[in-house]
């Protein structure tokens, strides 16, 4: 059974500031909440910080977790209300059907593999030469590149992004020409670039992410289920790859 958790974070506590600033530290806190991890278990998480005073940690786990340690260290342990919620993911999976539409959110790390990068750090060049690598993994840094990366890959994830819904223009205001493809129901709501180090090494890790939000239409329920449970793109240990779905408002269905 799979579970989706929602954990409230108090950004004013010292431990919280460490978790919010360092994806590696938050990864460790997430893993500490899942007992009896089996080899091959995929644990996905995402930090939603739309409201800077009320960041929320979302975690998808293959076993029922316990987030008491995060509440005690980085939440409001003595406050009223629900500190974290854990829900069975099966009802959502059961709703997946071809043609059905959902709202979605995804934080991902858009990258490209290339054998001729425009810029390459001395460390990357040395490592590639030592290991005889013929390609590099380079992050997409512009919003246009990141959006293209996302839209080009949606078919392999089992969905498409419909064209944006617009009102019919008034007579005489129709555009005379149409430049480029029609707009689609997706936007980038956040972009970030963070650098941190792993334990036992001084080599920095740079993580470039983009958060996508919009509306999707299911084309292959099995592929979408795989994307939901297995994650999308690289850097899953650092808060990338968790695709979440939400029912659309009645007027957008």
């Amino acid at each position: 059974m799979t579970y989706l958790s929602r954990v409230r974070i108090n950004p004013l506590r010292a431990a919280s500031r460490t978790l919010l600033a360092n994806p590696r530290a938050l990864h460790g806190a997430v893993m500490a909440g899942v007992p009896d991890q089996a080899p091959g278990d995929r644990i996905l998480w995402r930090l939603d910080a739309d409201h800077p005073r009320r960041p929320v940690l979302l975690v998808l786990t293959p076993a029922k977790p316990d987030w008491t340690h995060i509440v005690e260290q980085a939440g409001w342990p003595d406050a009223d209300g629900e500190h974290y919620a854990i829900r069975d993911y099966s009802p959502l999976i059961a709703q997946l059907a071809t043609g059905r539409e959902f709202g979605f959110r995804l934080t991902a790390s858009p990258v490209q593999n290339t054998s001729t990068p425009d810029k390459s750090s001395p460390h990357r060049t040395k490592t590639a030469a030592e290991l005889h690598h013929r390609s590099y993994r380079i992050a997409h840094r512009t919003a246009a590149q990141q959006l293209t990366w996302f839209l080009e890959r949606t078919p392999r994830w089992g969905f498409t992004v419909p064209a944006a819904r617009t009102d019919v223009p008034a007579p005489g205001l129709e555009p005379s020409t149409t430049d480029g493809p029609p707009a689609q129901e997706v936007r980038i709501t956040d972009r970030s670039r963070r650098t941190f180090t792993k334990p036992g090494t001084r080599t920095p890790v740079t993580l470039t992410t983009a958060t996508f939000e919009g509306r999707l239409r299911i084309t292959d329920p099995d592929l979408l289920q795989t994307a939901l449970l297995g994650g999308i793109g690289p850097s899953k240990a650092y808060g990338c790859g968790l695709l979440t779905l939400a029912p659309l408002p009645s007027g957008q269905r």
Side-chain angles (χ1 to χ4, degrees):
M1 186 176 292
T2 304
Y3 297 89
L4 180 66
S5 302
R6 185 178 186 273
V7 188
R8 296 193 304 165
I9 304 295
N10 181 351
L12 299 181
R13 302 186 65 179
S16 301
R17 290 193 288 270
T18 299
L19 295 180
L20 295 174
N22 191 329
R24 182 188 63 78
L26 190 48
H27 168 73
V30 167
M31 300 302 287
V34 186
D36 303 325
Q37 299 171 30
D41 279 355
R42 172 64 70 188
I43 297 174
L44 301 170
W45 62 271
R46 186 180 77 223
L47 182 66
D48 286 349
D50 307 67
H51 196 308
R53 296 183 181 180
R54 298 178 182 177
V56 173
L57 174 65
L58 297 174
V59 190
L60 190 70
T61 58
K64 193 171 185 178
D66 181 2
W67 306 118
T68 304
H69 64 295
I70 295 182
V71 174
E72 292 177 345
Q73 298 171 18
W76 288 271
D78 298 321
D80 292 334
E82 190 176 48
H83 301 294
Y84 63 82
I86 302 175
R87 301 288 185 265
D88 180 7
Y89 213 49
S90 301
L92 173 67
I93 297 299
Q95 295 180 48
L96 303 182
T98 301
R100 185 156 189 184
E101 297 187 358
F102 289 89
F104 74 88
R105 173 178 279 196
L106 166 72
T107 293
S109 179
V111 299
Q112 62 172 322
N113 293 317
T114 176
S115 58
T116 56
D118 294 333
K119 295 182 180 180
S120 180
S121 68
H123 171 73
R124 182 185 289 125
T125 302
K126 178 181 178 181
T127 302
E130 290 175 350
L131 300 180
H132 305 290
H133 285 176
R134 295 186 177 182
S135 66
Y136 301 86
R137 175 175 284 181
I138 306 297
H140 289 302
R141 295 188 179 183
T142 70
Q145 291 173 338
Q146 293 167 344
L147 191 58
T148 297
W149 175 90
F150 174 79
L151 290 173
E152 286 180 345
R153 287 162 176 75
T154 58
R156 71 179 68 170
W157 301 327
F159 64 88
T160 60
V161 176
R165 298 181 178 181
T166 58
D167 294 332
V168 178
L173 296 181
E174 300 89 345
S176 57
T177 60
T178 302
D179 297 325
Q184 293 173 269
E185 285 280 2
V186 59
R187 64 188 184 281
I188 295 177
T189 58
D190 183 70
R191 302 172 62 237
S192 69
R193 187 169 183 264
R194 295 184 177 180
T195 301
F196 54 94
T197 57
K198 292 183 178 181
T201 178
R202 296 182 178 180
T203 303
V205 175
T206 299
L207 178 65
T208 302
T209 65
T211 299
F212 305 90
E213 289 186 27
R215 178 167 58 96
L216 63 77
R217 182 179 296 127
I218 300 174
T219 57
D220 189 319
D222 292 334
L223 287 179
L224 180 55
Q225 178 175 335
T226 298
L228 289 170
L229 301 181
I232 287 174
S235 301
K236 297 181 181 68
Y238 299 131
C240 296
L242 175 58
L243 173 69
T244 53
L245 306 182
L248 291 168
S250 58
Q252 297 182 23
R253 293 177 185 173

